[in-house]
Amino acid sequence: QVQVVESGGGLVQPGGSLRLSCAASSRLFSINRMGWYRQTPGKQRELVARITRGGSTNYGDAVKGRFTISKDNDKNTVYLQMNMPKAEDTAVYYCYADTADGESWGRGTQVTVSS
């Protein structure tokens, strides 16, 4: 089963930018869809963005126009570019991969938006 590992989290100022990476252990052409969810204490995990094998994307309403998901097939990596982050974007961000064998999730990376 594919494994995914997130990186790039940390502290970012409101209005700044941050890029998260998600490295997959398999070639991306073997993965139906990859994406990012986020979670804060006491709340359900919510969709941030996802991208299909063909490159189609969709975003959660809270991040539309500010965040961009992309992928590099040569590096087996999906990225989440976070622009103009807000304090409410503070959360643990989880990467996932959807394959014919099921879903795989990373351990998450903390993103804190604060001045």
Side-chain angles (χ1 to χ4, degrees):
Q1 192 170 15
V2 65
Q3 295 180 333
V4 293
V5 178
E6 306 97 337
S7 62
L11 176 66
V12 60
Q13 291 188 342
S17 63
L18 190 70
R19 189 177 78 163
L20 305 182
S21 300
C22 176
S25 61
S26 300
R27 298 300 303 273
L28 295 191
F29 66 70
S30 68
I31 301 173
N32 296 325
R33 187 166 49 191
M34 289 184 68
W36 296 89
Y37 277 72
R38 67 187 184 187
Q39 190 168 25
T40 55
K43 293 188 177 181
Q44 286 189 330
R45 197 171 289 190
E46 67 169 345
L47 171 70
V48 178
R50 54 191 173 203
I51 187 167
T52 68
R53 181 169 50 215
S56 297
T57 60
N58 64 299
Y59 296 88
D61 289 341
V63 306
K64 282 180 181 177
R66 299 186 298 119
F67 293 6
T68 303
I69 190 169
S70 63
K71 61 177 181 167
D72 186 329
N73 290 331
D74 291 336
K75 296 182 178 179
N76 300 330
T77 300
V78 169
Y79 302 98
L80 182 70
Q81 179 67 42
M82 304 171 63
N83 293 332
M84 302 299 291
K86 306 174 183 178
E88 50 263 43
D89 294 320
T90 296
V92 178
Y93 284 69
Y94 296 91
C95 177
Y96 83 100
D98 181 16
T99 72
D101 296 326
E103 285 188 348
S104 297
W105 289 83
R107 294 187 175 184
T109 185
Q110 175 70 46
V111 172
T112 301
V113 184
S114 175
S115 56

